[in-house]
């Protein structure tokens, strides 16, 4: 029982479709294995397990919030701060980055 995630809208009957981002089991939808193979080959769908593994790898590399805040507070340059801020959109981290950026920016 493999599950997949649709990258685009997948129409599998004249009335039914799968929305982008939806996770589905082809056996529940009545989609043939040959059709799944074609959708995988075309890149229209991705195995859900691959997306989960990818998601786990990203989150495991990022320090927790407390460690991130400590790193931000100890940043000595704007470049160092920019590396810490890159891609981090956590609500508690964004204000700390802005505050430290203001501290590190020379007055005009």
């Amino acid at each position: 029982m493999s599950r997949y995630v649709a990258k685009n809208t997948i129409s599998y009957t004249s009335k039914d479709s799968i929305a982008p981002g939806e996770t589905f089991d082809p056996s529940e939808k009545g989609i043939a294995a040959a059709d799944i193979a074609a959708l995988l080959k075309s890149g229209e769908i991705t195995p859900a397990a691959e997306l989960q593994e990818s998601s786990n790898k990203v989150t495991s590399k990022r320090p927790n919030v407390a460690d991130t805040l400590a790193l931000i507070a100890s940043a000595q340059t704007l470049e160092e701060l920019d590396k810490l801020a890159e891609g981090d959109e956590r609500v508690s981290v964004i204000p700390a980055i802005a505050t430290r950026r203001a501290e590190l920016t020379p007055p005009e």
Side-chain angles (χ1 to χ4, degrees):
M1 181 191 283
S2 296
R3 297 183 62 77
Y4 299 91
V5 178
K7 291 185 178 178
N8 300 306
T9 300
I10 308 293
S11 297
Y12 61 96
T13 68
S14 61
K15 295 180 181 179
D16 300 312
S17 63
I18 300 166
E22 182 179 340
T23 301
F24 68 97
D25 181 339
S27 62
E28 293 173 1
K29 303 283 187 183
I31 303 172
D35 293 333
I36 291 298
L39 291 167
L40 281 167
K41 186 175 181 180
S42 70
E44 296 290 315
I45 62 173
T46 303
E50 281 183 20
L51 290 178
Q52 183 62 40
E53 287 175 19
S54 173
S55 173
N56 289 343
K57 288 178 185 175
V58 170
T59 52
S60 66
K61 290 183 181 180
R62 183 171 65 182
N64 65 32
V65 172
D67 291 343
T68 301
L69 294 175
L71 290 169
I72 289 167
S74 66
Q76 297 299 309
T77 66
L78 288 172
E79 292 80 21
E80 189 179 344
L81 186 63
D82 288 341
K83 286 181 186 177
L84 292 169
E86 190 173 297
D88 201 326
E89 298 177 3
R90 293 178 284 184
V91 175
S92 55
V93 173
I94 294 170
I97 291 169
T99 300
R100 187 65 181 147
R101 186 176 311 282
E103 294 169 355
L104 292 173
T105 303
E108 293 181 18

